[in-house]
Amino acid sequence: MGTPQFAATVLEHVLASDDVDVVAVYTQPDRPCGRGKKCQPGAVKTLALTSGLPIHQPESFKDQAEVATLAAYAPDVLLVAAYGMILPQAVLDIPRLLPINVHASLLPAWRGAAPIERAIAAGDRLTGVTIMRMVAALDAGPMIMQRVLAIGQSDTAGTLRAELADLGGRLLVHTLKRLRTGGVPMVEQDPEKVTYAKKIDKAEALIDWTKPAAEVHDLIRSMTPHPGAFFFWKQAADREPLRIIAHPGKVGCPLPPGARPGDILGLMECHIGVACADAVYFIPTVVPAGKRPMDAKAFSCGYLGKCEDDAMAVCGPPDGGATA
């Protein structure tokens, strides 16, 4: 049971195991996607189609007929990864052995919908995957296995998700082998250490330049590739502010004298320099609304009217810096 690419990667590992027979795949109904709003299958459905597996896409399990259909498969285990649907107790009771979930955090930290994004935005340096027994409460079941993964300073939600999916798939296959040969450990979660990773609201992706540059870096990484961290650049007085998505860069030099948070300081070391609370943040690439991605020099030339690095921007007051 799963829907996006994270779950598809986990499923690939399961399908490659000689010890497991996948009898059916459950995934979210196809959703409208893109400008044409045509329904697109998720990554799990696409993989299931190419693998010739039975596919079910119920809107929910409130209909007892859907529960009965699942029960007719008589599964030993239910394997769940990023399914996107709350499973009622009637479904959790179906497998002969266990309902098992692959969760992309070191539980009890970051229960919920967006553990990867929340871990990066919080500045965490470690994350991982947890294989757990599912219960009716959100990500609250006993833990079976965990593996730790370091979060690099250049990791984004996209790169980290791919690594965690691969790690989760391998750990799940190992868990199933243990289950076949005598059982698995069960460790209850410490309720005192629980944190929650609520779903990402697009409004959270607005960059607050009054924060320290390191926090800005963490936010941008956590929102990459989706929904994309953004800021508004104030154009001429007679035009609306331009919405610009910023790609992850790095914490740059100390603030030049007179720079205020949000000031765009121009082209600096082949990056767009923007003043934060304590330092300049260097952005390598941006995406102005309705435009293709452009590197820092192209943006500086086309929008700021500055086509060369401004050495004075590092050590002196910004010369007519724009405000973000």
Side-chain angles (χ1 to χ4, degrees), residues 43-209:
V44 165
K45 182 177 180 179
T46 299
L47 177 58
L49 287 170
T50 60
S51 303
L53 297 169
I55 300 170
H56 299 271
Q57 297 180 272
E59 288 286 351
S60 73
F61 285 97
K62 294 180 180 179
D63 186 346
Q64 290 304 305
E66 296 290 357
V67 178
T69 297
L70 175 58
Y73 282 108
D76 293 311
V77 293
L78 290 182
L79 307 179
V80 183
Y83 184 24
M85 183 183 299
I86 300 297
L87 300 179
Q89 192 63 48
V91 169
L92 300 180
D93 290 339
I94 287 175
R96 181 177 67 86
L97 297 175
L98 294 172
I100 298 175
N101 179 250
V102 182
H103 186 73
S105 81
L106 296 174
L107 292 172
W110 302 126
R111 293 180 183 178
I116 297 170
E117 293 86 350
R118 297 299 176 190
I120 295 175
D124 292 357
R125 294 295 172 252
L126 293 175
T127 184
V129 291
T130 303
I131 308 297
M132 56 170 282
R133 176 172 186 162
M134 297 185 72
V135 297
L138 179 66
D139 298 327
M143 301 176 292
I144 298 172
M145 289 187 184
Q146 285 187 327
R147 289 291 185 275
V148 177
L149 183 67
I151 303 177
Q153 278 298 298
S154 61
D155 274 326
T156 66
T159 62
L160 195 60
R161 182 172 288 105
E163 290 186 75
L164 289 171
D166 180 68
L167 179 61
R170 290 187 280 115
L171 188 59
L172 177 60
V173 169
H174 180 64
T175 300
L176 294 174
K177 288 182 178 179
R178 289 278 301 271
L179 193 59
R180 286 175 61 89
T181 58
V184 293
M186 296 279 184
V187 179
E188 295 294 336
Q189 298 183 39
D190 184 346
E192 298 297 321
K193 297 180 179 180
V194 172
T195 56
Y196 289 96
K198 66 179 182 178
K199 185 177 179 180
I200 297 296
D201 186 321
K202 290 183 179 180
E204 296 179 76
L206 177 62
I207 300 170
D208 182 355
W209 300 111

Side-chain angles (χ1 to χ4, degrees), residues 209-300:
W209 300 111
T210 66
K211 300 288 187 182
E215 291 185 25
V216 169
H217 182 57
D218 291 339
L219 174 74
I220 295 175
R221 293 187 302 126
S222 74
M223 299 295 167
T224 302
H226 302 294
F230 66 95
F231 61 95
F232 290 102
W233 176 57
K234 296 179 181 179
Q235 303 180 87
D238 60 340
R239 300 178 66 184
E240 291 293 323
L242 181 66
R243 186 178 187 272
I244 300 172
I245 291 177
H247 289 171
K250 60 182 180 180
V251 177
C253 58
L255 284 176
R260 298 168 299 175
D263 285 349
I264 299 180
L265 305 177
L267 193 61
M268 304 170 70
E269 298 182 21
C270 299
H271 292 71
I272 294 295
V274 184
C276 298
D278 61 343
V280 178
Y281 188 73
F282 287 174
I283 303 172
T285 314
V286 295
V287 187
K291 303 293 184 180
R292 296 178 180 273
M294 57 177 60
D295 64 23
K297 185 170 184 179
F299 178 79
S300 184

